[in-house]
Amino acid sequence: MNPVEYRRPATADEALTLTGSAGARLLGGGTNLVDLMRKGVERPSLLADVSGLSSLIEPTEGGGLMIGAAARNSAVAAHPLVRAHYPMLARAILAGASAQIRNMATVGGNLMQRTRCLYFADTAGSRCNKRSPGSGCDALEGFNRYHAILGASGDCIAVHPSDMGVALAALDAQIRILSTGGIRVVPLTEFHRLPGDRPDLETALEPGELIVSIELPPSSVAARSAYRKVRDRASYAFALVSVAAGLAVRDGRVEDVRIAFGGVAPRPWRAFRAEAVLLGRPPTTEAFEEAAEAELQDATPLSGNSFKPNLVRRTMTAVLSELAGDDR
Ligand SMILES: Cc1cc2nc3c(=O)[nH]c(=O)nc-3n(C[C@H](O)[C@H](O)[C@H](O)COP(=O)(O)OP(=O)(O)OC[C@H]3O[C@@H](n4cnc5c(N)ncnc54)[C@H](O)[C@@H]3O)c2cc1C
Ligand code: SF4
């Protein structure tokens, strides 16, 4: 049994002070961290519970939306402004976990949740460079059906599990981080690091910092947007592949488009190449397939997930075709 001190800071500054101390971890809803503590993957000596800090969801002066890091996933999905202006975000959140978990889970915790790679959570003998740097990676030759085909390395092929993060990547979300120097802002697409030879370093968050809020800019594609998740079970399962997309068509051509993938990379994967292929083109099935090909040109499927590139292509094409609707 490891003794753990529990504190509930009243302000973000107080949380900042607490999280700067050795062995400290921030606690949101606890739906991931507490699991990992039970498994012995995480062994904090201090938990700073930030779930009582800002959970406000409010419009910004620039016409976007600010979401407090302590906002519960279910509150974000149900919020009228999210449902009206960012439907893909509501749909992505509702595609994840269960109602009970979404009621507990916070926005900050969702983005910071750890990978679901089986070997990462198995402290009984599995080799895992992310959990124990330099020990090896049992997923490379093991069960890797859920693992990455984009952005991985020879040291780690784990995917980031968040559904919400995929929609946020497509929506150009900005993460507001509190550090001792004040607030700094990191685009969500750059927040999660690719593993390289340091898979234990997962995000742009430095030790002693915390996420205080997420800002969504106004978006010309968000109102006509969707999220589709393909998984082994209809509910309560992580994505094999997911696609978040928003599309604006004018005069028969793609005026603006945002696409991101989940379940295929160590970060919510923004499909910048695919978007570039589509801009200015008629929104045809052929164009969507060509765009998917462009995005997947560096894909490296593994022994257990050679189906993923085709699944990405088909899912992306289906989502964009649905969004294009009568404009085709
Ligand atoms: C059975 C099950 C099924 C699930 N299925 C899905 C799914 O399909 N899709 C999906 O997306 N998710 C799924 N999840 C994951 C779930 O969404 C996450 O566990 C949850 O979002 C984490 O949020 P939390 O607030 O509980 O985080 P916590 O467990 O409290 O914390 C997670 C991490 O975030 C850090 N943290 C928390 N708040 C902050 C902050 N403000 N700043 C910096 N760091 C912070 C913590 O220190 C910790 O490292 C599932 C979880 C379970 C248990
Ligand atoms: S894929 Fe990453 S998380 Fe999974 S065992 Fe390998 S190093 Fe660990």
Side-chain angles (χ1 to χ4, degrees):
M1 177 108 105
N2 298 311
V4 183
E5 186 184 351
Y6 173 84
R7 301 278 291 276
R8 201 169 163 79
T11 63
D13 284 335
E14 203 183 314
L16 190 67
T17 307
L18 287 173
T19 193
S21 53
R25 284 281 188 288
L26 297 169
L27 181 71
T31 61
N32 184 227
L33 180 56
V34 174
D35 263 3
L36 293 174
M37 288 168 65
R38 289 199 186 103
K39 290 172 178 154
V41 176
E42 295 266 16
R43 296 172 181 272
S45 53
L46 167 69
L47 289 176
D49 184 344
V50 289
S51 65
L53 300 184
S54 177
S55 58
L56 279 179
I57 303 172
E58 54 187 1
T60 60
E61 281 181 9
L65 197 65
M66 187 75 82
I67 302 173
R72 305 287 176 172
N73 286 188
S74 48
V76 179
H79 197 280
L81 290 175
V82 174
R83 291 166 62 102
H85 301 298
Y86 303 96
M88 79 160 90
L89 177 58
R91 286 171 68 170
I93 292 171
L94 294 175
S98 64
Q100 291 89 340
I101 291 169
R102 295 193 296 268
N103 283 342
M104 286 300 292
T106 62
V107 166
N110 187 293
L111 294 177
M112 291 295 292
Q113 64 175 300
R114 313 292 302 276
T115 182
R116 296 284 157 166
C117 174
L118 294 176
Y119 306 102
F120 172 72
D122 174 24
T123 52
S126 294
R127 295 176 305 153
C128 173
N129 286 322
K130 188 183 279 298
R131 174 168 40 78
S132 178
S135 62
C137 170
D138 275 341
L140 286 170
E141 303 297 329
F143 180 75
N144 51 35
R145 176 175 172 76
Y146 284 92
H147 289 68
I149 56 169
L150 292 166
S153 75
D155 284 349
C156 180
I157 53 173
V159 297
H160 193 271
S162 172
D163 287 296
M164 183 182 77
V166 182
L168 292 177
L171 291 168
D172 293 306
Q174 306 289 313
I175 306 202
R176 292 166 56 81
I177 294 170
L178 182 63
S179 65
T180 48
I183 294 280
R184 64 189 185 95
V185 180
V186 176
L188 188 127
T189 49
E190 294 166 24
F191 181 70
H192 298 96
R193 295 168 53 124
L194 297 181
D197 59 1
R198 290 298 306 272
D200 54 313
L201 301 177
E202 297 181 339
T203 69
L205 208 67
E206 300 289 343
E209 296 185 323
L210 70 144
I211 301 171
V212 286
S213 57
I214 314 291
E215 184 172 352
L216 294 177
S219 166
S220 59
V221 298
R224 191 197 276 197
S225 68
Y227 184 76
R228 189 172 296 186
K229 178 175 177 180
V230 183
R231 47 191 154 171
D232 280 330
R233 285 193 308 261
S235 71
Y236 216 44
F238 289 91
L240 285 166
V241 161
S242 67
V243 173
L247 184 69
V249 178
R250 183 193 282 249
D251 300 331
R253 295 190 179 272
V254 174
E255 184 180 54
D256 204 355
V257 61
R258 298 285 188 283
I259 307 166
F261 303 152
V264 295
R267 60 165 54 142
W269 188 267
R270 178 70 178 270
F272 289 113
R273 282 181 187 167
E275 292 172 5
V277 168
L278 288 174
L279 279 177
R281 301 263 304 265
T284 61
T285 304
E286 294 71 30
F288 298 150
E289 287 180 344
E290 197 185 309
E293 285 303 333
E295 194 62 47
L296 292 164
Q297 66 190 9
D298 296 334
T300 50
L302 305 158
S303 53
N305 67 13
S306 55
F307 61 89
K308 277 197 179 184
N310 198 28
L311 191 55
V312 171
R313 183 168 49 246
R314 292 174 63 175
T315 308
M316 184 184 127
T317 301
V319 169
L320 289 169
S321 299
E322 185 183 306
L323 293 174
D326 293 339
D327 285 337
R328 297 221 284 177

